[in-house]
Amino acid sequence: MSIHDKRIEFGSDNAQDKQKALRASGDMNADFLEMARNVYAHLNDEISKKIFEAKIMYASTGDVGYITGLESKYRNLNSDMQVYVEKLRKGSHCLIYGAGRAGHYLAGRFKQFGVVVDCFVDPDESLGPVDKQTGIKVITDKELSENKSVYGDKTFVISYSKKPVADEVKKRLVDEIGICEKNICSGIFDWRNNQGQYFDYFEAGENEVFVDCGCFDGATCYNFAGWCGHKGFEHIYSFEADPENYKKSKAALEPLGKCDLYPYGTADEHKKVYFAADAFETSCIISREEAEKRNFEGVEEIETVALDDVLEGKRVTFIKMDIEGAEYEALIGARKLIMENRPRMAISVYHKFEDFVTLANLVLEMHPDYRIAFRHYGFDELETIMYVE
């Protein structure tokens, strides 16, 4: 599908009405394609165009192969990921160490792009012989050792996200069971370039002022400070609505200084919403219908705010948004801030199929001279970031 190099300008009301209608329909209609042409005309480089074209095809067909099939030069993968991209092609097999939440997550992701999970490995014998949630076989370390001839040459994916724990498991697999180290991928975060994400496209300026929407554990704020380097930074305004994540972030960010942390979600206005609070980075705003489906288990009622209200009159140079599908509303709530400051932005555009088009059009409506770039940091369709400057 070709996207013609054609610039289309929208008036603010017209653009917003079209985008709202599109989001409600979830359909790639004529308005969507018109918006897509407008975005394409503002893309900054060849990498962005390749990623955009792949996402258009994925959105229209549902075939994740358009994303996973991108050449490595069009994806910002770290060195560990590069190795395993070749191993975990469609039709390949692997074992996942850890049958908990992260393991289930990886099994679901792998299934989508055709990788077969032969079994989970978990030291907890009570989880076997079959995982109740996924139906995948579960074996213990002892059973793995006894069946090394069957599993030993497969790719092992350690699902634990904490590096010390993942390293301990890796050492045990190598030293005690005899698994070859080159066949082991350590940690769930190996499946995306978590260090470069948000900051490897721009070069830091003097006295940067950072707005972090979706703070999670505070790591992004430290990555921002590191990105600023010897230039330092002026201030950070950070937002995290998950109560447990907020507590962790508050403690983590205290030594950083020059950082205000707010216990709110970011949206188009101040309001109360339902929130799936899982103390993980996937915590998100949900509808009342979704809350009822969950029987309100793990559901909190939180407050959202508009950045225009909280940061009124503040100077801002850089906005990052990774808020699990709430980016559109958060941008609406930051319209005045963006119009007045013209900040650079790094925005996640993979949570909803249309975001890579509608979010780009929204910021172009605010500043038609913005330039857009896309970078992709994940093994599958997740972790696409839109850079705006």
Side-chain angles (χ1 to χ4, degrees), residues 64 94 96 100-115 117 120 131 133-134 136 380-382:
V64 72
C94 73
I96 296 177
R101 179 173 59 185
H104 291 155
Y105 167 82
L106 282 180
R109 303 312 306 164
F110 291 169
K111 183 178 179 180
Q112 284 199 355
F113 52 82
V115 172
V117 178
F120 288 112
D131 179 68
Q133 182 170 321
T134 64
I136 296 172
D380 52 14
E381 79 276 20
L382 304 182

Side-chain angles (χ1 to χ4, degrees), residues 20 92 98 136 142 190 194-195 281 291 295 339-340 387:
K20 284 184 176 178
S92 62
I136 296 172
K142 181 181 178 183
D190 281 356
N194 200 44
Q195 298 303 311
E281 58 184 5
N295 293 319
M339 294 290 287
E340 291 178 351
Y387 292 100

Side-chain angles (χ1 to χ4, degrees), residues 60-127:
S60 62
T61 66
D63 184 355
V64 72
Y66 286 105
I67 306 294
T68 59
L70 278 169
E71 293 180 59
S72 59
K73 64 182 179 180
Y74 297 121
R75 292 193 280 173
N76 288 37
L77 305 181
N78 62 36
S79 56
D80 289 335
M81 291 168 70
Q82 292 283 14
V83 172
Y84 288 94
V85 159
E86 297 304 319
K87 284 183 172 292
L88 293 177
R89 293 286 187 185
K90 185 175 182 179
S92 62
H93 291 249
C94 73
L95 285 75
I96 296 177
Y97 196 102
R101 179 173 59 185
H104 291 155
Y105 167 82
L106 282 180
R109 303 312 306 164
F110 291 169
K111 183 178 179 180
Q112 284 199 355
F113 52 82
V115 172
V116 179
V117 178
D118 287 341
C119 66
F120 288 112
V121 183
D122 201 290
D124 187 348
E125 294 182 4
S126 68
L127 297 178

Side-chain angles (χ1 to χ4, degrees), residues 219-278:
T220 303
C221 292
Y222 279 94
N223 289 344
F224 163 75
W227 173 72
C228 291
H230 69 276
K231 294 179 179 179
F233 63 92
E234 185 176 313
H235 206 79
I236 297 172
Y237 302 99
S238 194
F239 296 80
E240 177 52 53
D242 187 296
E244 287 302 315
N245 290 343
Y246 174 80
K247 290 177 186 177
K248 294 175 184 176
S249 295
K250 188 174 183 180
L253 293 175
E254 187 174 355
L256 185 60
K258 296 190 292 184
C259 180
D260 295 333
L261 176 63
Y262 300 92
Y264 307 121
T266 49
D268 54 345
E269 62 182 354
H270 180 236
K271 57 188 175 183
K272 290 187 177 181
V273 297
Y274 291 107
F275 189 81
D278 60 11

